[in-house]
Amino acid sequence: MSVCVAVVGHQNNPLYIQSFTDADDALKLHHIVHCSLDVIDERVNNPKKSGPLLNETFLGLLYPADNYKVYGYLTNTKVKFILVTTDLDVRDASVRNFFRRFHSAYVDAVSNPFHVPGKKITSKTFAGRVSSIVNSFGSSTATE
Amino acid sequence: MGREVSESCLDILLIEIVSSYTNGFFAGRPELVAQAVEAVGYQVGNQLCERYTMERPQFSDHLEAIKFICTDFWTNIFKKQIDTLRTDHKGTFVLRDNRFRWLSRASHPDSSATIPSALRNFAESRKMHLYFPCGIIRGALSNLAIPCAVTADGSALPSCSFTIIIRRDEVSNRRDGL
C-alpha cells in the first residue's frame, strides 16, 4: 500500500509533503495531491454543493478515482491536509482518526518557536510522528 | 493537554521582555519597542490560535471569529471570558475585560504621588505592556484570515479594553465575494 500525506498552506504553498511507498510512484502521488487542491478550493468556495460539509474540518473523499482515494481536511486557519492512499477499502472513521492525530502533530510542529509561520516544516520530530501515524493507519486498515 | 504555566513566571517574563527592549535593544526609541513587543505577541497569538481552533467547526463570518476570541481563546489564556463586546457592524469591535490579569499587579497612579512626570511614566510603561496582548489578538485573527489592527486602552485599571479594526479592503472584498 502506498500513502502520501501533504500539508498545504493557505496560499496553496506546500508546507510538507511525504510519500510512503514501496513502488516507484512518488511523483504520481505528488501529482494527485496537486490536482486535489482545486477540488478543495471548489468545495470551500461553493458551499451550496457541499452543504452540511461546509462547517466541518474533515472534507471527506475529494473525488472518485480507480486505483486510489484522496481525502482532504481543512483547518480553521485554512491549512489543508491531503491524504492519498492506494488502499481502496478504508473506512471514513479511520481516515477521520488519522486526520485528528495528524492535526495534533501539525499543531505541535508549528508551535515550535523556531518554526517560521508559512515556511516548510523541517522538524524531524514531526516527520517521525507522521510516519508513525501513517504506519498505524496502514495497519488499522489492513486488519479491518 | 493538561500543561500548566506559572502565572508569576509569565508576569515576570512579560515585564522583562518589555524592559529589555526599552532599556537595552531599542533604548530611547519607543516606537521600535512597541513594534518588537507586538511582533512577539503576534507569533504567540498565531500559534495559540492554531491549537485552540483544533476541535472547532469553521467560522462563517468575522463576528463568529471575534466571539471565539472573546470566549474560548480568552478563557484558555486568562481563565475568564471578555466581559463586554461591542461592535459597530462596520468592522470595529471593542472588547473589554473588567479585570485584565496581566495588569492586575501594575501600580496604580492614584496610590502614589501626583507628580505629572510619574503619571506619564506609569501610562507609558502600561502602554508598552499592552502591546503584547494586542499582538496576540492580531496574530490569532490574522491566522484566521482576518487582517486587522488592534489597539489597547488600559487607562482605567484594572479594566482594559481592546479595539479591533478589521481592514476595510478585506470587509469589502468579502462582500463582493458574496
Side-chain angles (χ1 to χ4, degrees):
Chain A
M1 185 184 78
S2 325
V3 173
C4 181
V5 288
V7 180
V8 181
H10 67 108
Q11 286 170 316
N12 279 345
N13 49 326
L15 298 177
Y16 182 84
I17 182 158
Q18 184 65 52
S19 358
F20 300 87
T21 172
D22 307 321
D24 190 20
D25 54 358
L27 201 61
K28 191 179 137 215
L29 292 170
H30 284 207
H31 177 69
I32 296 166
V33 168
H34 202 120
C35 297
S36 57
L37 289 177
D38 280 340
V39 185
I40 294 184
D41 270 352
E42 199 184 348
R43 290 238 180 155
V44 174
N45 295 329
N46 297 321
K48 269 179 222 145
K49 215 169 128 192
S50 51
L53 284 173
L54 175 71
N55 283 331
E56 222 190 331
T57 47
F58 180 61
L59 297 171
L61 188 65
L62 290 180
Y63 56 89
D66 289 342
N67 39 15
Y68 50 81
K69 281 187 158 182
V70 189
Y71 289 92
Y73 185 96
L74 182 71
T75 71
N76 265 303
T77 52
K78 308 292 174 233
V79 175
K80 302 165 187 113
F81 300 153
I82 295 163
L83 168 72
V84 183
T85 172
T86 52
D87 188 340
L88 290 180
D89 37 61
V90 283
R91 287 216 204 129
D92 249 23
S94 66
V95 179
R96 270 172 203 274
N97 185 34
F98 169 85
F99 276 127
R100 220 189 47 242
R101 296 179 61 194
F102 190 80
H103 194 169
S104 62
Y106 166 77
V107 164
D108 286 346
V110 293
S111 294
N112 180 350
F114 295 105
H115 168 78
V116 185
K119 289 278 182 304
K120 286 197 170 176
I121 302 168
T122 49
S123 151
K124 282 189 187 122
T125 319
F126 178 69
R129 275 182 78 178
V130 168
S131 71
S132 84
I133 294 170
V134 167
N135 282 337
S136 73
F137 172 69
S139 57
S140 78
T141 52
T143 51
E144 272 167 15
Chain B
M1 219 154 299
R3 281 200 198 170
E4 294 184 352
V5 174
S6 156
E7 200 176 348
S8 9
C9 280
L10 193 72
D11 277 349
I12 295 166
L13 178 66
L14 178 59
I15 293 166
E16 190 51 41
I17 290 174
V18 173
S19 97
S20 71
Y21 276 120
T22 322
N23 305 319
F25 305 127
F26 300 126
R29 313 208 31 201
E31 72 286 351
L32 289 184
V33 178
Q35 250 177 43
V37 175
E38 213 255 356
V40 176
Y42 180 86
Q43 190 174 355
V44 172
N46 214 300
Q47 294 172 342
L48 285 180
C49 184
E50 200 80 60
R51 190 179 291 282
Y52 295 154
T53 54
M54 234 171 100
E55 306 274 313
R56 287 187 61 92
Q58 304 271 344
F59 300 112
S60 53
D61 59 0
H62 291 157
L63 183 63
E64 223 169 276
I66 303 268
K67 274 186 187 158
F68 158 76
I69 298 284
C70 293
T71 54
D72 293 15
F73 192 75
W74 217 254
T75 313
N76 273 317
I77 304 179
F78 298 108
K79 294 190 181 172
K80 75 187 282 290
Q81 298 187 356
I82 283 280
D83 294 296
T84 49
L85 164 66
R86 280 181 299 154
T87 174
D88 67 349
H89 296 289
K90 283 179 196 150
T92 308
F93 297 86
V94 179
L95 283 60
R96 214 179 80 184
D97 190 334
N98 287 336
R99 201 189 145 276
F100 186 56
R101 231 181 165 85
W102 288 350
L103 286 186
S104 59
R105 282 172 203 76
S107 19
H108 206 287
D110 290 342
S111 61
S112 76
T114 47
I115 309 161
S117 68
L119 277 176
R120 210 178 318 123
N121 279 347
F122 276 126
E124 267 308 301
S125 94
R126 211 161 41 208
K127 222 166 85 191
M128 281 304 166
H129 287 88
L130 283 175
Y131 281 113
F132 187 68
C134 282
I136 290 185
I137 298 177
R138 194 170 70 86
L141 285 174
S142 73
N143 207 358
L144 297 171
I146 305 176
C148 58
V150 183
T151 51
D153 176 19
S155 53
L157 282 180
S159 84
C160 178
S161 57
F162 297 92
T163 309
I164 302 171
I165 299 171
I166 294 170
R167 279 203 218 130
R168 275 265 159 251
D169 48 336
E170 170 67 15
V171 175
S172 58
N173 279 349
R174 279 281 168 106
R175 231 165 255 156
D176 293 345
L178 294 171

